[in-house]
Amino acid sequence: MLIYLSLIDTEEEKNKFEQIYYKYKQLLFYVANKILNDEYLSEDAVHETFIKIAENISNISEAICPQTKSYIVIIVRNISLNILKKQKSYLDIDEYSEIISDDYSLEDEVLSKYSFNLIVEEISNLNVTYKDVLYLTYVEGLSTKEIARLINVEN
């Protein structure tokens, strides 16, 4: 964990990171392993995810909340898919749609404002390819560059 903490400046953000780490590390491994089906690759995906979280800790307002859970699940899912893409010469998204659009429906996990929840619900009904980017754009308020860096979009 010292590797991750060395990427963070303030004590408050380090505490927030530690809470996230201990609360969600098993969930992240579960999500990664469900996609990758390989413990070592899943550990790599979780490691990369925690590096991304540490680098973007200022984007996280609360350590333990539904938004944070959704945010980091999206990160690990995309990192896992990128690893999988590297392992295969191609990636058939339809083949994995059942895995990656499982029980992490965003409408159950986002803010409580009624109209906002309706929008989030509609986003959650989209294909995962669009869902993650829209979630990060409209719910988390990230820029296109931040999203590309966060989900490791490769040219």
Side-chain angles (χ1 to χ4, degrees), residues 12-21 23-24 53 56-72 109-112 135 139-140:
E12 181 183 331
E13 289 179 335
K14 287 180 182 185
N15 289 336
K16 187 187 324 179
F17 180 87
E18 284 185 52
Q19 290 177 13
I20 292 168
Y21 181 85
K23 174 72 176 176
Y24 297 117
I53 292 168
N56 295 282
I57 195 72
S58 61
N59 292 334
I60 299 172
S61 57
E62 291 182 49
I64 311 299
C65 70
Q67 295 99 321
T68 300
K69 183 178 178 183
S70 295
Y71 183 72
I72 65 176
E109 298 192 37
V110 208
L111 303 173
S112 62
Y135 176 83
V139 177
E140 295 297 330

Side-chain angles (χ1 to χ4, degrees), residues 25-26 28-48 76 80 83 87:
K25 67 181 178 179
Q26 303 229 324
L28 295 179
F29 181 81
Y30 173 80
V31 171
N33 201 40
K34 205 153 172 156
I35 293 169
L36 296 167
N37 238 0
D38 181 293
E39 287 186 23
Y40 297 110
L41 291 176
S42 299
E43 288 173 4
D44 289 346
V46 171
H47 172 69
E48 282 186 51
V76 77
S80 299
I83 291 171
Q87 295 295 313

